[in-house]
């Protein structure tokens, strides 16, 4: 990847407080295996892993940018029958 392009992308992604890594497409099978494992364990919500890699539109692609945006769970306190009940909503259920 061109270092100038990588630097611009790095800055833009970091400013948005997103976790990210630049990877070679040769690392993709291991990455997909690890992501699928975390998803099966309920540790990760997958929203944008559709389609073939590299996409048909970019057959010459050599790198991939993997990004994640940490999201906090929401915590609510309700009062019922004179006592407080805490409810935690996972990030994927808020939207």
């Amino acid at each position: 990847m061109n270092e100038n392009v990588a630097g611009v992308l790095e800055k833009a992604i970091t400013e948005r407080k997103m976790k990210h890594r630049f990877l070679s497409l040769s690392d993709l099978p291991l990455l997909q295996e690890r992501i699928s494992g975390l998803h099966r364990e309920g540790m990760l919500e997958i929203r944008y892993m559709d389609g073939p890699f590299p996409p048909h539109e970019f057959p010459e692609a050599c790198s991939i940018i993997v990004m994640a945006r940490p999201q906090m769970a929401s915590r609510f306190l309700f009062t019922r029958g004179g006592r407080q009940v805490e409810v935690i909503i996972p990030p994927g259920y808020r939207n």
Side-chain angles (χ1 to χ4, degrees):
M1 180 181 291
N2 180 310
E3 284 190 35
N4 188 36
V5 171
V8 170
L9 289 171
E10 178 95 24
K11 183 178 180 204
I13 295 167
T14 301
E15 286 174 354
R16 288 167 178 79
K17 301 187 184 333
M18 296 180 79
K19 305 286 184 183
H20 63 281
R21 292 286 184 269
F22 293 90
L23 299 172
S24 166
L25 279 180
S26 64
D27 295 326
L28 189 59
L30 177 60
L31 175 66
Q32 288 174 316
E33 181 181 317
R34 292 184 72 188
I35 288 173
S36 294
L38 289 170
H39 180 66
R40 279 191 303 275
E41 293 173 16
M43 302 293 293
L44 183 66
E45 178 183 349
I46 299 174
R47 290 192 184 181
Y48 305 108
M49 272 192 62
D50 296 330
F53 283 94
H56 299 299
E57 296 86 1
F58 300 104
E60 70 281 358
C62 299
S63 301
I64 186 171
I65 304 169
V66 178
M67 297 184 293
R69 184 180 66 224
Q71 293 181 310
M72 301 300 293
S74 296
R75 182 179 144 217
F76 298 94
L77 291 174
F78 295 94
T79 302
R80 181 166 187 198
R83 55 174 228 170
Q84 284 194 330
V85 178
E86 179 181 40
V87 176
I88 297 180
I89 310 287
Y93 292 94
R94 292 190 320 202
N95 298 332

